[in-house]
Amino acid sequence: MAQFIPQLIAASRTETRPLIRLALPICGAQLAQAAMSTVDVMMTGRLSATDLAAVSVGSSLWVPLMLFMTGTLMGLTPVVAQLLGAGRRDGIRIQVHQALWIGMALGIIAAGLLWTTVMPVFQLMEVPQAVAERAAGYLAAVALGMPGVGLFMALRAFSDGMNHTRPALWISLLGLAVNIPSNYLLIYGGAGLEALFGDWLPAPVTNLPALGAVGCGLATALSMWVMCLAMIAYTRRSRAYGDVALWHSPTPPRLRPIGELLYVGMPIGVAIFVEVTLFTLIALFIASLGEVTVAAHQVALNYTSLLFMLPLSLGMALTVRVGNTLGQGRPEAARLVAWNGILIALGVALLNCLLLWFTAEPVIGLYTHDPEVTRITLSLVGLAMLYQISDSLQVNLAGALRGYKDTRVIMLITLVAYWLVGLGGGHWLGDHGLLDQLAPLGVYGYWIGLVAGLTVAALLLGERLRRRSKAIADGDLEIPLSSE
């Protein structure tokens, strides 16, 4: 340890800048994609409460599916990063082609699920009939874009693994630029355009029907395919990928590389799905606590989720840096890269805490003017400051482990920490209190459960990274390289 710390300090001088340079475009892309959801909510909310409810309920079904696809395809990133570091660029094209087959298959399966299973789910959730019908139409429209999402995410994982993260940013901004006008046209129809531009528009335009929630779904699907086609065009024409002739000689599906990609990627998808469902279930559990509490919970969660984008992006960039260094056959350097990333994540968490401390009150004022909602939100933000550190650490520890292709353990730790400790403990504290000595803590109990779950995840992932990185650096374990 005495020798490791000076080495870590020395590594930070060379590794910090490239890591942040990779992370910032990823952060911008994540924010652009989050902005699409915000635009959907704002525009449908102006049309009617029913359409807004339909989009909100529908999003709770398709977004987890999309994130599962995204996580599964993220398994390609460390594979490409290691092959790039090892100088085995000829193997990258085959791996990307297999990921594209996986992305297409997952997109088609997701579309099929959205077309065939939503009404029984809505009946189980006791969604009002009018909302359920519009939500089903919205999801049927969104489903048209799911294969495009699968292809885009596979190509994004390839680009990220090649240390080229900026295309995802520019193409996500393009998707947002398409999403806004197409939302306006398809949600409000020709009447909306006439109100905006006047009566000089031609009759075919002004006669377009207002499709409401269904139009929002069509606009989302259109944005998905625009992003997909833009990413295909960019990877075909850009010289940033060197001699990786990605679109030369398409490779048919091969079971072995597909199996390897799923072995690495599927646990990532499950882990992300578990995390998303944790917050969804908490929102359902606190629904009985009253609209003021629910509103405060939503405001606090929305604000802190925006701040989470930077540590999340840092973790995705850390996967690439660790994978590159392992591919170069430098396991001791990869260990230093990983722990330097964790130190940066700690610094980012402290920065987020300061931002929460100084900006919480004015930012909450942008969401609500209700004094009771503001009071509860401020107290929840106080708890959020506690979990900034554990949340930032756990997502970056997971990112480093993904660079080692050590993803199954992440999935198991996530299941235990999020559902057993976070959700189970939070539900107990919220409904029963602590050891029957205190009154039920309500929404605060669920947030304390979040803090506990994220802390347990950070501790377990930290110990796993310590053991794994040391064992590979000492030569006790082989570097996990791809077979092709």
Side-chain angles (χ1 to χ4, degrees):
M1 179 62 71
Q3 188 179 18
F4 181 73
I5 293 176
Q7 292 175 338
L8 182 59
I9 294 172
S12 68
R13 296 171 186 163
T14 57
E15 278 298 323
T16 300
R17 182 174 293 182
L19 181 63
I20 293 175
R21 192 166 57 241
L22 278 177
L24 288 179
I26 296 175
C27 185
Q30 297 296 117
L31 289 171
Q33 291 174 20
M36 291 186 203
S37 298
T38 303
V39 168
D40 289 350
V41 170
M42 291 173 63
M43 288 193 171
T44 51
R46 289 180 59 191
L47 183 66
S48 74
T50 303
D51 286 285
L52 174 59
V55 170
S56 299
V57 170
S59 296
S60 70
L61 294 183
W62 78 262
V63 170
L65 272 178
M66 185 195 71
L67 291 175
F68 172 76
M69 290 167 53
T70 300
T72 301
L73 293 165
M74 281 171 62
L76 176 65
T77 300
V79 172
V80 171
Q82 288 190 11
L83 290 171
L84 179 66
R88 296 167 55 193
R89 301 171 74 94
D90 55 329
I92 292 175
R93 179 176 58 85
I94 296 173
Q95 295 288 345
V96 178
H97 289 177
Q98 305 314 302
L100 288 169
W101 288 114
I102 294 171
M104 177 62 77
L106 289 176
I108 292 172
I109 292 170
L113 289 172
L114 294 177
W115 280 327
T116 59
T117 65
V118 293
M119 288 307 290
V121 173
F122 290 153
Q123 291 172 1
L124 186 65
M125 296 169 63
E126 299 182 351
V127 177
Q129 185 64 26
V131 174
E133 289 176 357
R134 296 192 193 185
Y138 165 71
L139 288 173
V142 170
L144 297 172
M146 295 306 277
V149 168
L151 295 175
F152 170 75
M153 289 302 176
L155 292 173
R156 178 182 172 177
F158 154 68
S159 189
D160 288 352
M162 294 290 293
N163 292 297
H164 198 40
T165 56
R166 281 176 294 176
L169 168 60
W170 302 123
I171 291 172
S172 295
L173 290 172
L174 173 64
L176 179 62
V178 170
N179 184 251
I180 293 173
S182 58
N183 251 340
Y184 198 94
L185 174 63
L186 293 169
I187 291 173
Y188 305 125
L193 286 178
E194 190 173 16
L196 187 64
F197 295 108
D199 57 3
W200 57 269
L201 293 172
V205 175
T206 57
N207 290 334
L208 288 172
L211 298 178
V214 175
C216 181
L218 289 172
T220 299
L222 176 62
S223 300
M224 291 172 174
W225 276 109
V226 166
M227 292 168 63
C228 170
L229 295 174
M231 198 67 175
I232 290 173
Y234 184 85
T235 52
R236 281 181 67 92
R237 296 176 180 273
S238 176
R239 298 179 181 178
Y241 307 108
D243 57 354
V244 179
L246 186 62
W247 298 101
H248 177 69
S249 301
T251 308
R254 296 184 182 179
L255 291 180
R256 185 169 181 178
I258 284 178
E260 288 182 354
L261 287 171
L262 291 176
Y263 182 83
V264 176
M266 195 74 89
I268 302 175
V270 172
I272 292 176
F273 183 81
V274 166
E275 184 174 358
V276 172
T277 53
L278 166 69
F279 290 98
T280 301
L281 291 172
I282 287 176
L284 291 174
F285 282 136
I286 68 168
S288 62
L289 300 178
E291 61 183 17
V292 171
T293 301
V294 171
H297 167 79
Q298 194 60 45
V299 170
L301 190 61
N302 186 266
Y303 179 34
T304 55
S305 296
L306 287 175
L307 292 178
F308 179 65
M309 291 298 177
L310 185 52
L312 172 65
S313 305
L314 193 66
M316 295 169 71
L318 192 55
T319 299
V320 178
R321 293 300 299 160
V322 171
N324 281 162
T325 313
L326 282 175
Q328 294 166 5
R330 300 191 296 140
E332 182 59 41
R335 184 184 178 205
L336 294 170
V337 168
W339 287 107
N340 178 63
I342 303 308
L343 288 178
I344 297 172
L346 179 60
V348 168
L350 294 174
L351 175 63
N352 280 350
C353 287
L354 285 175
L355 286 172
L356 286 171
W357 177 267
F358 288 110
T359 66
E361 198 161 349
V363 169
I364 291 169
L366 299 175
Y367 284 92
T368 180
H369 297 294
D370 187 304
E372 186 61 16
V373 173
T374 300
R375 183 188 66 80
I376 297 174
T377 305
L378 281 171
S379 58
L380 292 177
V381 167
L383 288 172
M385 290 175 64
L386 293 178
Y387 81 60
Q388 289 302 306
I389 293 175
S390 54
D391 202 10
S392 182
L393 289 177
Q394 67 87 20
V395 76
N396 280 273
L397 288 162
L401 285 167
R402 286 167 188 156
Y404 283 94
K405 298 185 183 175
D406 189 24
T407 58
R408 287 183 300 165
V409 171
I410 299 174
M411 179 183 68
L412 296 174
I413 289 174
T414 300
L415 284 168
V416 172
Y418 287 3
W419 280 6
L420 183 61
V421 178
L423 183 60
H427 186 56
W428 180 266
L429 291 173
D431 280 12
H432 301 284
L434 184 62
L435 301 176
D436 295 327
Q437 301 301 311
L438 297 173
L441 300 179
V443 68
Y444 301 108
Y446 287 99
W447 278 68
I448 291 170
L450 278 176
V451 174
L454 292 168
T455 302
V456 168
L459 291 172
L460 293 177
L461 290 169
E463 178 61 16
R464 177 66 178 185
L465 179 61
R466 185 189 71 81
R467 291 178 178 234
R468 189 77 169 183
S469 61
K470 188 175 186 303
I472 291 178
D474 292 344
D476 297 331
L477 286 175
E478 293 183 1
I479 299 175
L481 296 175
S482 299
S483 61
E484 293 199 28

